[in-house]
Amino acid sequence: MSITLVNPAGLPEIPAYRQVSIATGSKLVFIAGQVSWDADGVLVGEGDLAAQVEQCYLNIGTALAEAGATFDDVAKITVYVVDWTPDKLALFLEGVDRAAAKLGGTPVPPGTLIGVAALDVPEHLVEVEATAVVD
């Protein structure tokens, strides 16, 4: 495996992700921000943050598969959420959990969640991008 995820002593343990990703692979995979469109470009989960998060993560999974990778190869994930407030965390985690159940594992690479004013179209509530390293 090209990615080792760790929580170093001296940093808090966060259940949703690991603090550090150590990559040893030779192929870098950069995935553009994924929104909640299905393969036909149709919006999934209008007005439903959990459904949109789920679709974004499933889209990342599809992109990873094209590169011969899985979430086990993800070194860093960045999430942009429109009008983020801490009370949205439960919905965000619900979407991640639903995607994880379909993908067969829990994605826990180091991550950053950024609140933004808007995305490309008003219907999009979340966008997720990822970087992976593959042997």
Side-chain angles (χ1 to χ4, degrees):
M1 181 178 298
S2 59
I3 301 290
T4 302
L5 301 176
V6 296
N7 278 319
L11 293 179
E13 287 196 29
I14 310 292
Y17 63 89
R18 301 300 175 263
Q19 294 281 12
V20 176
S21 174
I22 302 166
T24 59
S26 58
K27 179 169 71 171
L28 295 175
V29 180
F30 299 94
I31 299 173
Q34 297 297 305
V35 293
S36 63
W37 283 329
D38 66 11
D40 296 319
V42 175
L43 178 70
V44 173
E46 184 168 358
D48 183 342
L49 180 61
Q52 289 199 21
V53 169
E54 177 184 5
Q55 186 63 44
C56 290
Y57 274 75
L58 293 175
N59 290 349
I60 293 287
T62 298
L64 288 165
E66 179 66 24
T70 69
F71 267 97
D72 288 339
D73 301 305
V74 174
K76 176 76 166 69
I77 200 157
T78 304
V79 179
Y80 304 90
V81 181
V82 174
D83 297 325
W84 174 258
T85 56
D87 63 312
K88 294 180 181 179
L89 183 60
L91 289 172
F92 173 77
L93 293 175
E94 177 186 334
V96 172
D97 288 344
R98 290 184 348 205
K102 291 179 179 177
L103 294 166
T106 302
V108 294
T112 301
L113 191 151
I114 302 167
V116 296
L119 292 170
D120 59 333
V121 297
E123 295 80 18
H124 289 152
L125 305 176
V126 63
E127 184 169 334
V128 180
E129 63 184 26
T131 302
V133 180
V134 183
D135 284 328

